[in-house]
């Protein structure tokens, strides 16, 4: 198997993933997963597709992460890993990942700030006089 690459996005975060056969090491921007995402919940989000398909110790994953915050980056990485697993073996992994909603990109983005207002929806206080 050659190197499989996939792309995942969430909010303004972009994750580029390169998957090799290996022992289960996940490297993000040349740092281990536990160092890059110290919170357990974010590590769980990243490992979700691997645990659902039972391939936690089968692949080495190298990741380039850019933009966004910690949660957005973790969810972008989850989508990228799920897409890469689908490329590896569509018949086996796709039904499990799709049933758990891991192949759907979350389309929600930040609404832009409008001119003459302090925020996207917020207005300055109205004064009658």
């Amino acid at each position: 198997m050659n190197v499989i690459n996939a792309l995942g996005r969430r909010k303004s975060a972009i994750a580029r993933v390169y998957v090799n056969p290996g022992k289960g090491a996940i490297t993000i921007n040349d740092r281990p997963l536990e160092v890059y995402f110290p919170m357990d919940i974010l590590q769980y989000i990243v490992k979700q597709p691997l645990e659902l398909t039972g391939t936690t110790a089968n692949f080495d994953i190298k990741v380039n992460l850019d933009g966004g915050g910690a949660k957005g980056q973790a969810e972008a990485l989850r989508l990228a890993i799920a897409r890469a697993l689908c490329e590896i073996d569509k018949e086996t992994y796709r039904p499990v990942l799709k049933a758990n909603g891991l192949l759907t990109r979350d389309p929600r983005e930040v609404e832009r700030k409008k001119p003459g207002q302090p925020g996207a929806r917020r207005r300055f206080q109205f004064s009658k006089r």
Side-chain angles (χ1 to χ4, degrees):
M1 178 180 106
N2 292 344
V3 177
I4 301 291
N5 62 330
L7 186 75
R9 291 190 182 102
R10 170 77 170 97
K11 293 185 175 180
S12 60
I14 300 173
R16 287 179 217 82
V17 168
Y18 303 94
V19 180
N20 286 321
K23 303 215 193 274
I26 300 176
T27 310
I28 305 167
N29 294 348
D30 298 321
R31 290 189 283 180
L33 172 70
E34 292 74 24
V35 174
Y36 196 86
F37 291 123
M39 293 175 60
D40 291 335
I41 187 71
L42 297 179
Q43 291 177 25
Y44 170 77
I45 287 171
V46 169
K47 291 179 181 175
Q48 235 178 341
L50 298 169
E51 288 172 3
L52 285 170
T53 56
T55 56
T56 309
N58 296 5
F59 302 110
D60 284 344
I61 300 172
K62 186 177 179 299
V63 184
N64 290 332
L65 259 176
D66 190 38
K71 175 102 184 210
Q73 285 187 347
E75 291 182 3
L77 180 51
R78 177 176 67 182
L79 176 63
I81 291 171
R83 284 180 173 172
L85 288 173
C86 275
E87 268 189 55
I88 291 167
D89 191 357
K90 229 176 198 144
E91 290 80 33
T92 310
Y93 302 140
R94 186 171 170 80
V96 178
L97 295 170
K98 191 151 179 69
N100 287 287
L102 299 184
L103 293 176
T104 307
R105 187 214 191 276
D106 193 341
R108 295 176 293 175
E109 294 277 341
V110 176
E111 188 175 337
R112 76 177 192 88
K113 181 192 167 300
K114 313 301 186 306
Q117 299 173 198
R121 302 280 174 103
R122 176 100 172 99
R123 303 285 193 263
F124 289 116
Q125 186 172 3
F126 178 73
S127 173
K128 202 165 200 174
R129 292 175 226 340

